[in-house]
Amino acid sequence: MILQALYEYAQRKGDALPEDGFESKELKFLIKIKEDGTFVRLEDVRQEKDGKFIGRIYQVPQSIKRSGSKSYETTFLLWDHYGYILNEPKKEKGESNEKAISDAAKQNHTFIESLNSLPDSLKKDKGVAAIISFYEKYQKDNYTIIKQDEVWSDCVKIPGCNLSFILFGDDYPVFYREAVKDYQRSIIVQQSIMEPNSDVTSDNVNGVCLITGEKAVIKRLHSQTPILGAKSTASLIGFQKNSGYDSYGKEQSYNAPVSVQAEAAYTKALNHLIKSKNNRFWLGKDTVVFWAEKKEAEQFESSFSVFFSKDFDSDDPDRCVHEVKNLFNAVNTGKFDADFSSNFYVLCLSPNAARIAVRFWEMGKVETFAKRIKQHFDDFEITRPNDSVEHLNLYQILSATALEHKMDNIAPNLTGAVMQSILKGLPYPVILQQQCIRRIRGEQKVTRERAAILKAYLIRINKEVSVALDRNEKNKGYLLGRLFAVFEKVQQDTHPGLNATIVDRFYGAASTNPRTVFAQLSRLNRHHLSSYDNAAFRVNREKEIGEIMNLIDSFPAHLDLNEQSYFAIGYYHEKQSFFEKTNKSEETEGDN
């Protein structure tokens, strides 16, 4: 189903994707040469954006998958990394210098041989002829001069920096010349030709494509579709020989046939999505891509990442607020600007050695996803400071459960599990609750994000939790959390400037085994109350404590995880109510 949806997306995008036989590739440097092959300079085509230097995207002849001990025998048409182009060693992790030097020599030899094997008609093109002359006449001199160029040091710092050639006086690389494009197109046509009345040709195997249902030449090895954190040769579809997957004498992809044309289409579509800011975002090490079945649903498609990612448009920091409000209005009124009957697809991918793992795959109607996303924001709605963001994205939620708020420290599989809960409308994973409580106890800090996590978790398992302070709530965990917050407030009022409060010393015990500490905290609180200078403040605190204590018949010996969640929420609600009272008092004084 994934390949089918990607194939259909490629058909919908049409000319917006690279044509068959070509792919989008970022190049940061081009070797500028004259028609006689002499070196002019190393052209730096990078552009600075947000403090980073990014390359220019070109439509290059499609790369060919290569792996194993003889990968050096495969190169690309008129472009490749500096090992192939300039005999510059590309040292892999754990590899010796001697092997890297030897591999570079083999790679460079392969690239030169590939130029010599081009048809004579293509060699007559002045751009291609210049590249051949570059190697035939001036190879050693050119290598030396290039590595003395002022920008070479920047190029060599990039592991496996891709390079190509541009003819002096031209605006585009040599592979943009019509002769090269026509040659590449002819290769694709040749690969897709099926010999009549035969299942096998000299080079190709024919079969019924699982995507299109048509008989065509089957792609033996699927192209690279690398994601963040994966190897450059990683692909979504991979096959092994003699590994128990072969049957009826069919090996590798011939056992799950996908035609050359269909493979090119889904590969282009996936690579486009992976590189597109509008159809991709990252959550930790996972790459999430998404797309709509119909063009009419592109508005929802363009805003989808804003609901989850922190990496939305920095030029419009309020975009998240606007998009969420639009979503709420659309769901509440039933008036949608986009086609909400269209199918929508979400694919989460994770790097996994030499391949790519599918973390999850979700599909459904745009309307269904919209309602579930709105429900997610409703579940996470909680009273908050006035200067905080109105809605929490998934990055803020997940990082609140991690040590030092780093995404790298998030529990394994938590990202995908939470995302699936949102998209499926299911309870949030119990590990989200566990990790959140663990971080609260570890840091003795209940933040807005953590309180919202626990509230949303409880709501999804059919527990009732209010957005703000609920004075009628009788859950013991919630009441004890409120009481603990009032005790802390009394201590802070009467002993300002303390380096540590009762929260730092007693939060863990108070939220898990309240009977062991609340008697001591009550005695300590009476001492703090006697230190109030302001009698009105003291009366207000005593009244608050009395109201809570009247609802608690006894201190329980133990609180389970759900009750600990209520404890944290009650503590947060009570503390937030103090801030709200303070703000209202300041506003009243200002009016006077």
Side-chain angles (χ1 to χ4, degrees):
M1 187 62 209
I2 297 176
L3 300 188
Q4 180 71 39
L6 286 169
Y7 176 80
E8 291 173 354
Y9 179 73
Q11 306 307 305
R12 175 166 79 80
K13 296 299 288 186
D15 294 338
L17 300 181
E19 64 174 297
D20 289 351
F22 297 84
E23 64 177 283
S24 299
K25 183 67 66 173
E26 179 186 17
L27 298 181
K28 296 182 177 180
F29 301 92
L30 295 173
I31 301 171
K32 181 162 282 190
I33 58 177
K34 295 181 180 179
E35 288 187 25
D36 63 356
T38 55
F39 172 72
V40 178
R41 65 175 175 274
L42 191 58
E43 190 86 0
D44 187 347
V45 295
R46 296 176 296 174
Q47 297 174 329
E48 187 175 2
K49 186 175 183 180
D50 298 330
K52 297 180 180 179
F53 287 99
I54 59 173
R56 187 174 298 176
I57 302 298
Y58 293 100
Q59 304 303 313
V60 303
Q62 193 164 23
S63 57
I64 305 169
K65 188 168 184 178
R66 57 192 180 201
S67 61
S69 59
K70 293 187 177 182
S71 61
Y72 66 85
E73 294 181 353
T74 302
T75 187
F76 313 141
L77 180 61
L78 304 184
W79 71 276
D80 216 315
H81 70 68
Y82 51 45
Y84 287 88
I85 304 295
L86 297 174
N87 194 21
E88 178 66 25
K90 176 189 175 185
K91 188 178 178 181
E92 301 287 352
K93 187 175 181 180
E95 189 179 56
S96 65
N97 287 329
E98 292 77 11
K99 185 177 187 306
I101 293 171
S102 173
D103 286 347
K106 295 176 183 176
Q107 291 165 352
N108 188 232
H109 176 74
T110 297
F111 187 79
I112 295 173
E113 286 299 306
S114 72
L115 293 173
N116 295 330
S117 64
L118 293 174
D120 292 338
S121 57
L122 184 57
K123 290 180 181 178
K124 292 178 182 179
D125 178 86
K126 66 178 182 180
V128 177
I131 297 175
I132 294 174
S133 296
F134 173 89
Y135 290 102
E136 286 185 350
K137 298 180 181 179
Y138 309 104
Q139 180 176 340
K140 292 184 178 180
D141 292 339
N142 281 338
Y143 286 2
T144 302
I145 296 172
I146 288 175
K147 295 175 183 180
Q148 293 174 350
D149 191 280
E150 60 182 359
V151 298
W152 170 251
S153 59
D154 291 337
C155 176
V156 78
K157 287 178 185 176
I158 303 171
C161 181
N162 288 317
L163 296 168
S164 190
F165 296 87
I166 184 171
L167 202 58
F168 183 75
D170 283 359
D171 296 326
Y172 295 98
V174 173
F175 53 68
Y176 268 38
R177 299 180 68 83
E178 282 304 318
V180 179
K181 288 184 177 181
D182 290 341
Y183 172 70
Q184 181 66 11
R185 292 179 186 122
S186 70
I187 293 176
I188 300 303
V189 171
Q190 186 176 2
Q191 289 177 348
S192 62
I193 293 176
M194 180 171 63
E195 185 174 294
N197 304 320
S198 175
D199 288 336
V200 182
T201 65
S202 57
D203 298 311
N204 300 319
V205 171
N206 297 328
V208 177
C209 175
L210 294 178
I211 294 178
T212 64
E214 298 176 354
K215 192 170 185 181
V217 175
I218 302 305
K219 185 75 173 180
R220 188 175 69 88
L221 296 177
H222 290 223
S223 303
Q224 303 101 298
T225 51
I227 61 172
L228 182 69
K231 290 186 177 181
S232 59
T233 57
S235 59
L236 180 64
I237 305 296
F239 299 93
Q240 290 180 318
K241 285 185 176 182
N242 304 318
S243 300
Y245 301 103
D246 303 332
S247 61
Y248 296 100
K250 296 181 179 181
E251 296 180 337
Q252 293 182 297
S253 67
Y254 300 139
N255 198 37
V258 175
S259 68
V260 172
Q261 298 96 323
E263 187 275 343
Y266 96 72
T267 299
K268 283 192 299 181
L270 182 55
N271 280 324
H272 171 78
L273 293 168
I274 290 170
K275 295 172 183 176
S276 169
K277 281 190 175 182
N278 295 327
N279 296 85
R280 174 267 301 153
F281 61 88
W282 293 301
L283 282 176
K285 296 180 181 179
D286 293 340
T287 298
V288 181
V289 295
F290 49 89
W291 66 98
E293 179 187 31
K294 300 178 182 178
K295 184 178 180 180
E296 291 74 17
E298 284 185 346
Q299 182 174 346
F300 180 78
E301 180 181 280
S302 64
S303 61
F304 185 80
S305 65
V306 179
F307 305 136
F308 302 100
S309 172
K310 69 168 186 174
D311 299 318
F312 47 83
D313 192 356
S314 59
D315 296 332
D316 185 7
D318 295 326
R319 186 183 172 198
C320 181
V321 176
H322 298 152
E323 294 290 0
V324 173
K325 285 183 177 178
N326 291 337
L327 176 71
F328 275 44
N329 290 333
V331 174
N332 290 333
T333 63
K335 297 178 181 179
F336 305 121
D337 294 331
D339 182 356
F340 269 38
S341 65
S342 169
N343 283 327
F344 195 80
Y345 309 101
V346 185
L347 175 63
C348 182
L349 303 171
S350 299
N352 180 26
R355 293 180 176 83
I356 295 173
V358 175
R359 179 74 70 189
F360 67 80
W361 161 250
E362 296 295 336
M363 62 171 292
K365 300 297 182 182
V366 170
E367 181 179 7
T368 301
F369 282 133
K371 289 181 178 179
R372 289 174 180 172
I373 292 170
K374 178 188 179 297
Q375 185 61 53
H376 162 73
F377 283 115
D378 286 340
D379 292 343
F380 270 83
E381 180 63 26
I382 197 165
T383 182
R384 59 185 175 82
N386 292 331
D387 58 349
S388 64
V389 295
E390 189 170 349
H391 302 287
L392 299 173
N393 61 47
L394 194 53
Y395 174 88
Q396 293 168 308
I397 292 168
L398 294 173
S399 62
T401 70
L403 179 65
E404 298 179 343
H405 287 259
K406 293 182 178 179
M407 293 293 284
D408 290 342
N409 296 330
I410 291 174
N413 301 329
L414 178 60
T415 302
V418 172
M419 186 88 177
Q420 282 184 285
S421 295
I422 297 170
L423 299 178
K424 288 184 174 181
L426 297 175
Y428 295 103
V430 67
I431 190 174
L432 179 66
Q433 179 196 41
Q434 294 169 344
Q435 289 295 108
C436 184
I437 291 176
R438 185 176 289 118
R439 290 316 317 148
I440 291 174
R441 293 185 61 186
E443 299 176 11
Q444 294 85 42
K445 192 172 184 180
V446 182
T447 63
R448 178 256 183 120
E449 292 83 0
R450 290 167 181 166
I453 288 171
L454 298 176
K455 170 184 175 286
Y457 176 83
L458 291 173
I459 287 175
R460 289 285 176 106
I461 58 171
N462 298 319
K463 303 288 186 180
E464 293 186 4
V465 187
S466 62
V467 172
L469 180 63
D470 183 2
R471 298 185 182 277
N472 297 316
E473 175 60 64
K474 297 181 180 180
N475 179 277
K476 283 193 175 182
Y478 188 82
L479 293 170
L480 290 170
R482 287 184 60 196
L483 184 62
F484 193 64
V486 179
F487 284 172
E488 181 194 24
K489 179 62 175 174
V490 172
Q491 183 186 35
Q492 290 173 332
D493 287 348
T494 56
H495 297 79
L498 287 175
N499 291 327
T501 68
I502 60 171
V503 174
D504 300 292
R505 294 181 56 194
F506 296 106
Y507 185 91
S511 62
T512 54
N513 307 105
R515 185 178 297 173
T516 62
V517 295
F518 264 94
Q520 179 183 353
L521 290 173
S522 296
R523 291 192 297 269
L524 186 62
N525 181 66
R526 285 194 293 272
H527 168 71
H528 291 154
L529 282 170
S530 66
S531 301
Y532 261 116
D533 295 329
N534 190 313
F537 281 2
R538 175 179 176 175
V539 170
N540 287 335
R541 298 293 173 253
E542 288 177 334
K543 181 180 179 182
E544 189 83 4
I545 292 171
E547 289 179 356
I548 298 171
M549 291 296 294
N550 287 336
L551 297 172
I552 302 175
D553 51 7
S554 63
F555 294 120
H558 175 73
L559 298 181
D560 61 26
L561 278 178
N562 289 343
E563 290 168 330
Q564 290 177 45
S565 299
Y566 272 110
F567 183 98
I569 297 167
Y571 171 78
Y572 175 81
H573 276 172
E574 190 72 35
K575 283 200 69 172
Q576 191 60 35
S577 73
F578 295 144
F579 289 118
E580 291 171 358
K581 290 176 183 176
T582 302
N583 292 336
K584 288 180 180 177
S585 298
E586 291 175 351
E587 290 174 4
T588 303
E589 290 176 5
D591 293 338
N592 294 333

